[in-house]
């Protein structure tokens, strides 16, 4: 939901054709043609794109922005051309972000030596600072 609403906010900025001025003109031109074609003839086999996207240009952009950030691997697999356009518009390669491993937070037991190196038990040293 947050990404969807953020996409609407992007459209409210000083924009041309519903896209920020930072988007290269050839991409804007390609996007406008793509959206016009898609909204004129919604495909039946796009099960991964919600029907709500075909309500108007704004919703189309917002729904596709959701897919681009939430399920980029699916979007790239189903429609590489569309993924490429969105990658150029957002200046992001969201599929590559999926390959990054999340950082794990190291957990310390209350009776473990404090990681700060004080020599005290964690519960008598830095545990109190974390809370």
């Amino acid at each position: 939901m947050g990404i969807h609403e953020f996409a609407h906010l992007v459209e409210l900025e000083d924009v041309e054709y519903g896209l920020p001025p930072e988007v290269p003109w050839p991409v804007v031109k390609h996007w406008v043609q793509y959206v016009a074609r898609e909204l004129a003839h919604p495909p039946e086999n796009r099960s991964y794109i919600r029907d709500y996207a075909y309500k108007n240009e704004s919703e189309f952009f917002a729904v596709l922005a959701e897919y681009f950030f939430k399920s980029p691997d699916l979007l790239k697999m189903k429609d590489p051309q569309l993924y490429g356009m969105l990658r150029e518009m957002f200046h992001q390669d969201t599929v590559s972000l999926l390959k990054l491993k999340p950082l794990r937070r190291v957990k310390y037991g209350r009776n473990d030596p404090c990681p700060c190196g004080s020599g005290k038990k964690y519960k008598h040293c830095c545990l109190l600072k974390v809370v």
Side-chain angles (χ1 to χ4, degrees):
M1 182 66 132
I3 295 169
H4 184 101
E5 295 309 318
F6 174 76
H8 286 308
L9 289 175
V10 167
E11 290 181 310
L12 293 176
E13 293 294 313
D14 186 24
V15 296
E16 291 184 46
Y17 300 102
L19 298 171
E22 296 84 16
V23 178
W25 179 245
V27 177
V28 172
K29 184 179 175 186
H30 192 199
W31 174 254
V32 169
Q33 292 169 347
Y34 182 86
V35 172
R37 185 176 60 246
E38 289 294 307
L39 292 180
H41 306 289
E44 301 291 327
N45 59 349
R46 289 267 172 98
S47 60
Y48 65 99
I49 296 179
R50 293 191 342 236
D51 291 340
Y52 187 68
Y54 293 94
K55 182 177 178 185
N56 58 43
E57 295 90 353
S58 293
E59 295 305 335
F60 193 76
F61 177 68
V63 169
L64 290 178
E66 281 183 74
Y67 283 111
F68 182 71
F69 286 103
K70 287 180 157 182
S71 303
D73 48 347
L74 175 65
L75 181 62
K76 188 174 183 179
M77 181 183 71
K78 297 276 188 178
D79 195 336
Q81 177 190 13
L82 175 58
Y83 178 83
M85 269 192 295
L86 292 169
R87 186 184 69 229
E88 289 187 44
M89 284 194 293
F90 287 111
H91 302 283
Q92 298 283 323
D93 185 6
T94 50
V95 167
S96 67
L97 296 176
L98 292 177
K99 297 173 186 169
L100 300 175
K101 293 183 179 179
L103 297 175
R104 290 189 183 262
R105 184 174 179 184
V106 179
K107 293 188 178 187
Y108 300 100
R110 294 174 43 82
N111 292 314
D112 290 345
C114 192
C116 75
S118 68
K120 298 178 183 177
K121 288 185 177 185
Y122 181 57
K123 68 181 176 184
H124 295 299
C125 190
C126 291
L127 175 65
L128 301 175
K129 296 174 188 173
V130 173
V131 179

